[in-house]
Amino acid sequence: MTIEPRRRRVAMVSVHTSPLAQPGTGDAGGMNVYVIETAKRLARRGIDVDIFTRRTTAAEEPVVEVEPGVVVRHIAAGPYEGLDKEDLPGQLCAFAAGMMRVAAHAPEGHYDLVHSHYWLSGQVGWLAADRWDVPLVHTMHTMARVKNLHRAEGDVEEPKGREIGEAQVVEAADRLVANTRDEAQELIDLYGADPERVDIVPPGVDLDTFRPGDRAAARADVGVATDAVLLLFVGRIQPLKAPDVLIRAAANLVRRNPALRDRLVVGILGGASGGAVRSPMALDLLAEDEGIADLVRFVPPADRGTLAKWMRAADVVAVPSHNESFGLVAIEAQACGAVVVATNVGGLPTAVGDGGILVDGHDSHDWADAIESVVDDPDRAADLSARAVAHAARFGWEVTAQQLATVYEAALATPLRASINDSGELAGIPRAVMP
């Protein structure tokens, strides 16, 4: 009788935002997409995934099976509503207790590994991995010291407590997953990470949903005229993402070419996030001040299928962020054949490749120049579109999941705890640089 080998089981931790939440508003964004898409692909490869996230409404079921092998577990930690992400450090103990209760009802050795996302989850994952005596794999997604170096004007500085918490997680993790080579270097330079424990695994794109298609049909579906010039921003409305840059650039284009006013549409897809929830960016007032309020359309966050239609419909998708660890919007837009114009920062050069245009800084004239070079040159636009599709095809989520599975096996084969000496310190491993 043949005995089938036991499937691996990973406890994936995403404290502050549920992978089931709609990306584009609140704290839901690229990380949500990353968590759910990798979990599904890992399960299809034979690695079961339990995703632990904080319960934010009474309507959420405690346990939700997404598909065979993928379960979302909503943990009660603090009041369901009214807590900002900045309030959550005070709920990490409650969250960890909820995870421990789940594991207490499972057989010993139920989880083989913990994979935490973002520093809040890393703090909980560190405790869980230590309690269960399993490896901890951690993905930062964003880092306080990097965000503070590239902070938008008027944006709030990331607190010292977050920096310290991140440094602790860097030291505790068996493996650290970076989206790009640049992010890996930031972990090493800014947090003292051991290079031997940093793995580069680029995020992916759902190539079944985000794919080229009929632009005219897409425009009909989203209510944009066939002959319009559509400039699109997709993402959370917050200073870090800099949607104001696109509005100012669009106003520049109209001042240069007044005839463009009859055809130009500026689409802003997303909802307020972070500090912008309490202190809105007032993009509508900015558009009015710039004289293009009649050209700007504000669209609430859309499901993935509708988002793909908007991207197929666009002449240009702008990603003017002050920093991105990767930039899922950029790669999703490129998979749809859209020309991406993005800031030359963080992981965006990797996401964009040779299928788009990178702009140094956020000067509205420079952005207008870059957009104009596409809008006024159909041949260049067609060439970039073809390059974009080919570039994005290399980033399917299946590739990401395969590489993550390899990281998991490395963490299981060489656990950090085996390097802890009698004094309780890491033997031969540099301690993370503390502020």
Side-chain angles (χ1 to χ4, degrees):
M1 177 178 172
T2 302
I3 300 176
E4 292 293 327
R6 186 179 75 83
R7 289 167 64 100
R8 297 276 193 204
R9 181 174 283 103
V10 171
M12 199 170 280
V13 191
S14 177
V15 170
H16 78 280
T17 177
S18 170
L20 303 181
Q22 170 66 59
T25 189
D27 291 316
M31 193 182 100
N32 298 65
V33 178
Y34 184 106
V35 169
I36 196 65
E37 295 295 344
T38 55
K40 290 191 292 188
R41 269 61 175 199
L42 286 166
R44 295 167 196 172
R45 295 179 60 84
I47 301 174
D48 292 337
V49 181
D50 280 10
I51 305 171
F52 292 85
T53 190
R54 195 177 78 87
R55 192 172 186 180
T56 57
T57 172
E60 290 171 335
E61 293 293 331
V63 179
V64 178
E65 183 180 31
V66 177
E67 64 174 60
V70 180
V71 172
V72 175
R73 297 184 179 275
H74 292 107
I75 303 297
Y80 293 156
E81 298 175 355
L83 286 184
D84 295 324
K85 184 167 62 176
E86 294 76 15
D87 300 320
L88 294 183
Q91 299 303 319
L92 295 184
C93 182
F95 190 95
M99 283 186 64
M100 296 302 107
R101 281 193 291 271
V102 170
H105 290 89
E108 186 175 353
H110 187 66
Y111 294 110
D112 297 286
L113 178 142
V114 177
H115 185 176
S116 53
H117 296 269
Y118 192 69
W119 79 276
L120 293 171
S121 303
Q123 289 281 314
V124 175
W126 173 19
L127 186 152
D130 191 63
R131 173 66 181 83
W132 300 335
D133 194 25
V134 299
L136 172 64
V137 173
H138 181 72
T139 305
M140 282 290 194
H141 293 281
T142 64
M143 292 177 274
R145 291 174 182 168
V146 176
K147 290 184 73 173
N148 286 338
L149 286 171
H150 301 280
R151 189 159 45 100
E153 184 177 350
D155 205 359
V156 178
E157 185 174 10
E158 292 297 316
K160 186 68 68 176
R162 175 179 173 181
E163 289 191 31
I164 295 171
E166 288 176 343
Q168 291 171 327
V169 173
V170 166
E171 187 175 7
D174 295 83
R175 313 293 297 190
L176 294 161
V177 177
N179 290 327
T180 64
R181 189 174 301 277
D182 284 347
E183 186 183 358
Q185 198 61 51
E186 289 165 344
L187 281 164
I188 294 165
D189 294 344
L190 299 178
Y191 289 86
D194 174 15
E196 295 299 316
R197 293 191 289 127
V198 179
D199 298 286
I200 301 170
V201 179
V205 59
D206 182 351
L207 296 171
D208 293 327
T209 299
F210 296 94
R211 64 185 189 278
D214 187 323
R215 175 179 286 185
R219 290 189 166 195
D221 287 341
V222 299
V224 173
T226 303
D227 65 344
V229 174
L230 175 59
L231 311 180
L232 187 63
F233 168 90
V234 176
R236 288 171 287 165
I237 308 302
Q238 59 178 197
L240 179 71
K241 302 293 184 181
D244 56 299
V245 171
L246 178 58
I247 291 176
R248 290 190 172 93
N252 252 307
L253 292 173
V254 170
R255 285 192 285 270
R256 296 178 185 185
N257 179 14
L260 187 61
R261 173 176 287 280
D262 295 334
R263 300 170 53 215
L264 187 65
V265 177
V266 182
I268 306 291
L269 274 69
S273 174
V277 174
R278 298 180 295 277
S279 180
M281 292 187 71
L283 296 179
D284 53 343
L285 297 180
L286 174 62
E288 187 175 330
D289 289 344
E290 293 285 350
I292 61 168
D294 56 321
L295 309 182
V296 180
R297 288 177 56 179
F298 294 97
V299 182
D303 62 70
R304 312 298 282 162
T306 302
L307 177 57
K309 290 178 182 178
W310 274 100
M311 290 174 167
R312 289 186 203 109
D315 291 279
V316 169
V317 175
V319 187
S321 305
H322 288 270
N323 191 63
E324 291 284 353
S325 60
F326 182 68
L328 283 180
V329 165
I331 202 73
E332 288 170 348
Q334 290 192 304
C336 293
V339 177
V340 171
V341 177
T343 319
N344 188 17
V345 294
L348 286 170
T350 301
V352 172
D354 65 351
I357 300 173
L358 296 171
V359 180
D360 293 322
H362 296 86
D363 183 87
S364 62
H365 297 282
D366 294 340
W367 277 80
D369 289 343
I371 294 169
E372 194 173 49
S373 73
V374 176
V375 172
D376 289 352
D377 190 341
D379 289 339
R380 187 184 191 207
D383 177 62
L384 286 172
S385 175
R387 290 173 181 269
V389 172
H391 178 71
R394 300 164 42 209
F395 290 89
W397 282 116
E398 289 77 9
V399 176
T400 304
Q402 178 182 357
Q403 293 177 343
L404 280 180
T406 300
V407 173
Y408 292 170
E409 291 305 317
L412 288 161
T414 56
L416 183 61
R417 282 156 189 79
S419 300
I420 298 179
N421 60 30
D422 292 338
S423 68
E425 293 183 348
L426 303 179
I429 296 177
R431 297 183 65 81
V433 178
M434 300 294 285

